[in-house]
Amino acid sequence: TVTEDDAAFQERIDDDQFIEPKDYMPEAYRKTLIRQIAQHAHSEIVGMLPEGNWVTRAPSLRRKLILIAKIQDEAGHGLYLYSAAETLGVARDDLVQELHEGKAKYSTIFNYPSLNWADIGAIGWLVDGAAITNQIPLCRTSYGPYARAMVRVCKEESFHQRQGYELMMAMAKGSEAQKEMAQDALNRWWWPSLMMFGPPDAESTHTAQSMAWKIKRFTNDELRQRFIDATIPQAEALGLTVPDPDLKWNEERGHYDYGEIDWDEFWAVVRGEGICARDRIRDRVNAYEDGAWVREAAEAYAAKQNQKAAV
Ligand code: FAQ
């Protein structure tokens, strides 16, 4: 049954108004947002790991500086997102604990290994490219704190995408061996990047309701197509080959047709069977435990400041 409150809420959504933390919202809307924002936050934090793998082996000081700055940005994104989730009445500590217990989802993409230096380029180009395609529309998602967090996140992701593409360009126009590394990275990251957009619309549990609530502004398949259409000319400019023999421009549709995505692989990675899944959680738990002294020091400092203020 739809209550009067629910009907008024839907009217506000239909009128493109933002919903703010203290406004009325249906419980299911709140739950969906907590789920999506928390998964998004976890993705940003776990997403630091594949790139962190290359910090000590970046080939020049310039590349190392760029990479460290990018990884630091991802940490910031995770923190804004946990804060946005907290406005819905959950505690960040609880969300983090669920991640560490292996109960929370994060993007499948971060369970693949980063094997050669060109992977850092491919991650920026493709993974950040896919992330922007998905997140630009989220700047107009119906929940105010999430939408506002996305504005800055998208600006930073655009820089990340550019640095990745510039790195790919250097590799693709470099020596024969560098070009091979670039092609190898594209071969391994292409399909997992397409999977970032989630299951096909027909199998997506949440899309219909999330579209009605304007949490999502486009469906998974719409955004996947938009990403493919934008990225193919970029691959051509690099002189690299996208590993999909069925990829073909469809004049009638005005879009690229593409081959079948391996959805069995996708669901296996969602279930936690990705190549790096265990390493990722172990690394996060270790980082959290190793950082305990920082949290304790911050708490001791805050207590001291409070004591001073009370005097
Ligand atoms: N991985 O009904 P739907 C980044 C799950 S970008 C894992 O379609 P929904 C930047 C889904 O949770 C990456 N699980 O779900 C960066 C649901 O399971 P549940 C993060 C997935 O929510 C770059 C079930 O399948 N971006 O981090 C995936 O309507 C470089 C059914 O799916 C975001 O999170 C997947 N790929 O649509 C950082 C963006 N796809 O919860 C470092 C915000 C689906 O029922 C380095 N999120 N599932 O148990 C979204 O836009 C949406 O949540 C979708 C999924 C589109 C991801």
Side-chain angles (χ1 to χ4, degrees), residues 7-84:
F9 172 83
Q10 190 62 47
E11 258 172 49
R12 291 190 60 195
I13 296 279
D14 295 342
D15 187 39
D16 276 337
Q17 293 179 25
F18 283 122
I19 306 301
E20 297 299 337
K22 290 186 175 157
D23 295 348
Y24 172 81
M25 62 185 82
E27 213 30 51
Y29 176 85
R30 184 190 302 276
K31 281 217 175 96
T32 292
L33 274 171
I34 292 172
R35 179 187 64 79
Q36 177 167 326
I37 299 173
Q39 289 176 1
H40 193 166
H42 297 327
S43 302
E44 300 282 357
I45 297 297
V46 177
M48 296 163 76
L49 296 170
E51 294 178 296
N53 185 31
W54 282 91
V55 170
T56 55
R57 289 173 287 160
S60 68
L61 179 60
R62 174 174 170 269
R63 291 289 179 198
K64 190 186 286 228
L65 284 171
I66 296 171
L67 183 58
I68 291 174
K70 177 185 192 296
I71 295 170
Q72 188 170 307
D73 285 351
E74 310 297 1
H77 300 174
L79 299 188
Y80 309 147
L81 285 161
Y82 285 126
S83 297

Side-chain angles (χ1 to χ4, degrees), residues 35 39 74 105-106 108 134 157 198 204-206 216 220:
R35 179 187 64 79
Q39 289 176 1
E74 310 297 1
K105 288 197 170 74
Y106 57 86
T108 44
N134 165 279
E157 299 288 24
S204 164
T205 335
H206 304 291
K216 286 166 95 162
N220 300 356

Side-chain angles (χ1 to χ4, degrees), residues 125 179 182-183 186-187 190 235-236 238-245 247:
W125 172 36
K179 186 165 178 177
Q183 182 63 53
L186 172 58
N187 291 349
W190 176 252
E236 284 167 0
L238 291 171
L240 299 177
T241 309
V242 171
D244 178 357
L247 191 82

Side-chain angles (χ1 to χ4, degrees), residues 32 44 59 70 81 112 117 152 215 223 228 231 270 296:
T32 292
E44 300 282 357
K70 177 185 192 296
L81 285 161
Y112 292 86
W117 170 250
R152 173 156 173 190
I215 292 174
L223 293 174
I228 292 170
T231 308
V270 170
E296 282 159 22

